[in-house]
């Protein structure tokens, strides 16, 4: 559970009592005694849920409903009303309030209302992530080699157990494809799958990407940002190229895994998260441990199950099936109707060593389909390195 609740009430005692209760339930709480203070918090993006009193020193509480109506993801607003003003509360709900509570406030009713609002917040987070994610799910060819059958069995077990997984293999062997397979075949399948390439982001920025930051945490942090741990709450966080993560950040990742909680950069509150970690590396982590470049304790936290992916050159009997899959895929993508690959072309494809593994094979078939105007891919449609057998 990770949400920040803004309590807007000018009665200090009542506000503090509710804040203490919600803190004890695992929520972060910020407080405002006036509409002006509330507006500041909302503009910063600090609030996930708002508990809003009707009568405030500087105005009418429900006016915030109209002021925030333009926000695409307005925080759910729970109105706090005086006894006997049901008509006003109903009107406020028509204007966008998600619930209302009557004074004197009762803790069980507060908890129920906040929980309903939190479910809405969680749904919005998941939808936002899914919209940003790739629209097209990459397919997966298992093949008939013993290595790939073993990979599939390990992946199924890891998916069902919802445990941390380490996927090892060279670049281009399909580590993210296996991670998505685990996501699709486990109990978290309807929850977020969040992927990040640790090698593509500078260490200091990677920390804020993973854990988020509070407004004012550093010069450019004008608003609070939820980290990927929070976005992936209840789902899977895929850490690609984990070997590139700096040692100091490895220590913070280890703590997050052990405590099942994170703290935003610039924050003071530990936020509980329930995340299955799938990490991937194209480097030999045990060797890095001996060289002092990777934490041994983090390695064992990640390595509950290891899924080793073979090189494509070690599973050449699977290449024709992979080629067939990619031909079908790029036919659809490019609007082509290529029906076959000539025996001579397939011979060259199988003979090539594929240093870039499946990713390079996919690119080569895409290249061939782009230049093929016949019903079958022939040798002259293939990239030059595949034709000559020489790495470019």
């Amino acid at each position: 559970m990770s949400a920040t609740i803004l309590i807007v009430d000018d009665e200090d005692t009542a506000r503090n009592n509710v804040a203490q209760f919600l803190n004890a339930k695992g929520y972060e709480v910020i407080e405002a005694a006036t509409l002006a203070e509330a507006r500041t918090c909302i503009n910063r993006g600090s609030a996930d849920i708002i508990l809003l009193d009707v009568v405030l020193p500087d105005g009418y509480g429900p006016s915030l409903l109209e002021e925030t109506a333009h926000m695409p993801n307005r925080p759910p607003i729970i109105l706090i009303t005086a006894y006997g003003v049901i008509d006003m509360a109903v009107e406020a709900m028509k204007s966008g309030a998600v619930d209302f509570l009557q004074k004197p406030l009762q803790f069980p009713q507060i908890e129920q209302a906040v929980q309903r609002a939190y479910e809405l917040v969680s749904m919005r987070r998941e939808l936002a992530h899914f919209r940003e994610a790739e629209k097209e799910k990459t397919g997966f060819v298992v093949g008939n080699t013993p290595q790939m059958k073993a990979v599939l069995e390990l992946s199924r077990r890891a998916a069902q157990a919802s445990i941390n997984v380490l996927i090892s293999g060279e670049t281009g062997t399909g580590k993210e494809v296996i991670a998505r397979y685990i996501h699709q075949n486990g109990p978290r399948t309807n929850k977020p799958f969040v992927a990040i390439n640790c090698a593509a982001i500078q260490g200091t920025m990677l920390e804020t990407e993973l854990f988020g930051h509070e407004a004012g945490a550093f010069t450019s942090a004008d608003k609070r940002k939820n980290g990927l741990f929070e976005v992936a709450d209840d789902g899977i966080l895929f850490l690609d190229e984990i070997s590139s993560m700096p040692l100091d950040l490895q220590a913070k990742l280890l703590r997050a895994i052990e405590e099942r909680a994170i703290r935003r950069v610039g924050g003071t509150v530990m936020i509980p998260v329930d995340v299955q970690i799938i990490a991937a590396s194209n480097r030999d982590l045990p060797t890095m441990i001996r060289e002092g470049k990777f934490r041994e304790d983090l390695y064992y936290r990640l390595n509950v199950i290891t899924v080793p992916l073979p090189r494509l050159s070690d599973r050449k009997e699977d290449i024709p099936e992979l080629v067939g899959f990619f031909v079908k895929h790029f036919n659809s993508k490019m609007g082509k109707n290529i029906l076959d690959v000539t025996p001579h072309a397939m011979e060259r494809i199988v003979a090539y060593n594929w240093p870039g593994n499946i990713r390079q094979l996919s690119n080569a078939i895409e290249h061939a389909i782009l230049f093929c105007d016949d019903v079958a891919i022939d040798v002259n449609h293939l990239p030059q390195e595949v034709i000559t057998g020489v790495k470019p």
Side-chain angles (χ1 to χ4, degrees), residues 102-115:
Q102 289 190 351
K103 292 184 177 181
L105 297 177
Q106 303 295 320
F107 287 154
Q109 284 74 24
I110 295 173
E111 183 176 8
Q112 290 173 7
V114 168
Q115 179 59 35

Side-chain angles (χ1 to χ4, degrees), residues 12 19 58 96 123 158 201 253 288 312 333 367 382:
D12 293 344
D58 55 343
M123 180 185 70
I201 302 175
L253 174 61
M288 292 185 67
L312 184 55
K333 185 176 180 180
H367 175 281
L382 299 173

Side-chain angles (χ1 to χ4, degrees), residues 40-105:
T40 300
C41 293
I42 293 169
N43 290 335
R44 284 178 182 167
S46 302
D48 295 313
I49 300 168
I50 301 173
L51 280 172
L52 177 64
D53 197 10
V54 171
V55 180
L56 293 165
D58 55 343
Y60 181 56
S63 64
L64 275 182
L65 291 166
E66 183 177 348
E67 292 176 24
T68 58
H70 67 284
M71 296 175 63
N73 286 309
R74 173 173 63 184
I77 296 177
I78 302 168
L79 212 59
I80 302 173
T81 70
Y83 182 78
V85 288
I86 298 298
D87 290 344
M88 183 274 294
V90 171
E91 287 302 314
M93 292 186 72
K94 289 179 181 178
S95 299
V98 299
D99 212 337
F100 69 92
L101 299 170
Q102 289 190 351
K103 292 184 177 181
L105 297 177

Side-chain angles (χ1 to χ4, degrees), residues 265-341:
V265 175
T268 58
V269 177
M270 295 299 291
I271 303 169
V273 288
D274 176 17
V275 175
Q276 179 184 5
I277 301 291
I278 301 179
S281 176
N282 63 356
R283 299 175 65 185
D284 183 54
L285 293 183
T287 297
M288 292 185 67
I289 291 170
R290 290 192 294 271
E291 294 172 349
K293 297 177 180 178
F294 199 85
R295 293 182 64 103
E296 185 174 16
D297 45 8
L298 176 59
Y299 174 75
Y300 287 116
R301 281 290 183 182
L302 297 172
N303 187 28
V304 180
I305 284 185
T306 297
V307 178
L309 292 184
R311 297 175 297 177
L312 184 55
S313 59
D314 292 334
R315 49 179 294 221
K316 286 197 170 186
E317 54 266 52
D318 291 335
I319 287 179
E321 185 179 0
L322 285 161
V323 169
F325 169 79
F326 289 129
V327 167
K328 181 178 179 181
H329 172 75
F330 290 116
N331 264 340
S332 175
K333 185 176 180 180
M334 297 183 188
K336 295 287 192 89
N337 190 30
I338 294 169
L339 304 177
D340 204 355
V341 178

Side-chain angles (χ1 to χ4, degrees), residues 236-248:
I236 288 177
L237 179 59
F238 175 56
L239 302 175
D240 199 8
E241 305 306 348
I242 186 77
S243 57
S244 66
M245 183 177 289
L247 282 168
D248 59 338

Side-chain angles (χ1 to χ4, degrees), residues 341-351 377-380 382 386:
V341 178
T342 67
H344 195 192
M346 185 62 77
E347 182 182 342
R348 293 293 179 91
I349 292 170
V350 173
I377 293 172
D378 206 349
V379 173
N380 61 299
L382 299 173
V386 180

